[in-house]
């Protein structure tokens, strides 16, 4: 059996990977199955599930199950808040937003949810998330100090810091629905500077934009808002193919897709069951965060919540 990270690594050895981002707050069961079946045929490699708002453990888990049953492809939780998690996904990007100004999105939310992730047995992939102008909703929600579209030095600095901190992936994000994607010049500079895989997303809605990101050095290209709004399967296929640098499909995967077969899945060949990831794990309730409080780790592994705006624990 291969894990999710190994699966992505194997795909990257063959060329640029395409991931589809699904917002579980905007899709019902039927539309999820219909859309993901089309994207499997278009050649996407896996599905990320998440959104800036409206994500719950329930709609996250239901979407993951629908995707697996419709496509057999891996599902990756793209975290939005510490209150939503499920063991129905194949893994999650354990994501730190490096240019957020709110500790919740850098490390404090992670400390709150980490014990529950361990109990569920969900595979985690440490990932640094860097939000570039215009940033859109995710930039606003996470209170990010956005990297300017032309500030290549800042992007490189954050990306190198991510590598030195031990992250296994770096993600440059312009924001879902952005008018302009991350510039190729920035992608190329970051890729040249780091030794870990680079993901690029936000504002990629044409074959030309996807091709530009791929040629600049992106190892993984993500499309999200575009796939929710585009009904033309030919356009979907053109963007996915441009992201991967192919006419249609790639190697063995292309043959499998053309034949309607399942591609190898990180939890087993063509698995469609709803069982937890290998190694077991349990579905556990998460603590609810009240509005205006932030989780802060304290000595002994316990968590204390502080009023909004208070960032230090009083000395005892």
């Amino acid at each position: 059996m291969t894990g999710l990270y190994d699966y992505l690594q194997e795909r990257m050895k063959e060329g640029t990977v395409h991931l589809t981002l699904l917002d579980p707050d905007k899709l019902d069961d039927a539309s999820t199955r219909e859309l993901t079946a089309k994207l499997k045929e278009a050649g996407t490699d896996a599905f990320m599930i998440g959104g800036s708002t409206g994500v719950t453990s329930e709609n996250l888990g239901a979407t993951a199950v629908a995707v697996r049953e419709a496509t057999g492809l891996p599902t990756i939780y793209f975290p939005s808040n510490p209150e939503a998690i499920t063991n129905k996904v194949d893994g999650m990007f354990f994501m730190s937003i490096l240019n957020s100004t709110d500790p919740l999105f850098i490390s404090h939310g992670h400390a709150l949810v980490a014990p529950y992730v361990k109990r569920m047995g969900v595979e985690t992939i440490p990932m640094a998330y860097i939000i570039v102008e215009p940033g859109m909703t995710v930039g606003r929600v996470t209170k990010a100090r956005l990297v300017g579209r032309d500030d290549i030095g800042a992007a490189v600095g954050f990306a190198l810091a991510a590598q030195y901190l031990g992250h296994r992936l770096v993600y440059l994000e312009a924001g879902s629905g952005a008018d302009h994607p991350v510039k190729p010049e920035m992608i190329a500079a970051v890729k040249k500077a780091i030794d870990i895989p680079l993901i690029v997303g936000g504002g990629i809605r044409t074959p030309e934009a996807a091709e530009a990101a791929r040629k600049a050095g992106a190892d993984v290209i993500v499309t999200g808002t575009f796939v929710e709004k585009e009904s033309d399967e030919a356009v979907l296929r053109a963007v996915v193919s441009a992201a991967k640098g192919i006419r249609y499909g790639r190697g063995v995967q292309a043959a499998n897709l053309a034949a309607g077969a399942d591609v190898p899945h990180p939890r087993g060949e063509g698995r469609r069951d709803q069982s937890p990831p290998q190694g077991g794990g349990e579905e556990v309730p998460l603590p609810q965060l009240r509005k205006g409080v932030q989780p802060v780790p304290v000595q002994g592994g316990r968590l204390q919540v502080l009023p909004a705006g208070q960032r230090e624990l009083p000395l005892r």
Side-chain angles (χ1 to χ4, degrees):
M1 298 276 181
T2 177
L4 177 61
Y5 184 75
D6 292 334
Y7 170 89
L8 293 175
Q9 287 282 84
E10 288 301 311
R11 286 286 180 263
M12 281 186 269
K13 288 178 183 178
E14 299 175 9
T16 307
V17 169
H18 178 268
L19 300 181
T20 299
L21 173 60
L22 305 173
D23 188 338
D25 190 42
K26 297 179 181 178
L27 297 167
D28 58 22
D29 185 81
S31 59
T32 297
R33 292 170 187 269
E34 180 182 2
L35 176 60
T36 56
K38 291 178 182 178
L39 284 157
K40 176 182 177 179
E41 291 302 314
T44 197
D45 292 290
F47 292 91
M48 295 162 53
I49 306 173
S52 299
T53 59
V55 179
T56 66
S57 296
E58 290 72 24
N59 63 24
L60 172 63
T63 301
V65 170
V67 171
R68 187 175 307 120
E69 291 180 349
T71 70
L73 290 173
T75 54
I76 309 165
Y77 178 31
F78 187 52
S80 56
N81 68 76
E83 297 181 31
I85 191 170
T86 179
N87 63 355
K88 299 296 191 296
V89 292
D90 295 296
M92 66 181 292
F93 289 144
F94 207 71
M95 181 174 77
S96 176
I97 302 177
L98 295 192
N99 57 328
S100 172
T101 62
D102 188 336
L104 179 71
F105 297 102
I106 302 170
S107 62
H108 291 188
H110 308 65
L112 179 72
V113 77
Y116 300 90
V117 173
K118 183 176 178 62
R119 286 173 60 186
M120 287 184 177
V122 176
E123 180 183 348
T124 57
I125 303 175
M127 182 176 78
Y129 194 67
I130 302 164
I131 306 176
V132 180
E133 288 179 339
M136 308 305 287
T137 302
V138 68
R140 174 178 54 79
V141 170
T142 63
K143 303 174 185 176
R145 184 173 290 120
L146 301 177
V147 172
R149 293 194 73 233
D150 296 306
D151 195 347
I152 292 175
V156 168
F158 274 119
L160 275 173
Q163 177 175 308
Y164 297 154
L165 284 166
H167 290 281
R168 303 178 81 180
L169 300 170
V170 168
Y171 193 135
L172 292 178
E173 171 68 272
S176 295
D179 291 335
H180 303 286
V182 177
K183 285 188 171 182
E185 295 84 358
M186 181 176 285
I187 298 170
V190 169
K191 180 60 181 175
K192 183 178 180 180
I194 62 176
D195 302 313
I196 55 179
L198 175 62
I199 303 175
V200 177
I204 299 173
R205 59 176 65 88
T206 66
E208 292 76 17
E211 182 178 34
R214 174 179 58 80
K215 288 185 174 180
D219 296 292
V220 179
I221 293 174
V222 178
T223 54
T225 303
F226 156 74
V227 302
E228 295 171 359
K229 296 181 177 180
E230 182 56 62
S231 59
D232 189 331
E233 292 184 44
V235 175
L236 290 174
R237 183 170 298 183
V239 171
V240 173
S241 296
K244 298 172 72 169
I246 54 175
R247 184 177 297 277
Y248 174 62
R250 183 174 59 213
V252 174
Q253 184 182 10
N256 284 342
L257 288 171
D262 289 325
V263 298
H265 189 285
R267 288 163 63 180
E269 180 77 33
R271 280 182 62 147
R272 294 176 180 269
D273 63 89
Q274 302 175 20
S275 58
Q278 294 300 307
E282 56 179 311
E283 194 80 72
V284 295
L286 291 173
Q288 298 298 305
L289 294 178
R290 301 186 305 278
K291 289 185 177 179
V293 299
Q294 305 289 359
V296 179
V298 297
Q299 192 171 17
R302 298 177 63 82
L303 287 162
Q304 179 173 330
V305 289
L306 301 177
Q310 183 178 341
R311 298 303 187 196
E312 295 182 358
L313 290 170
L315 296 177
R316 296 180 182 275

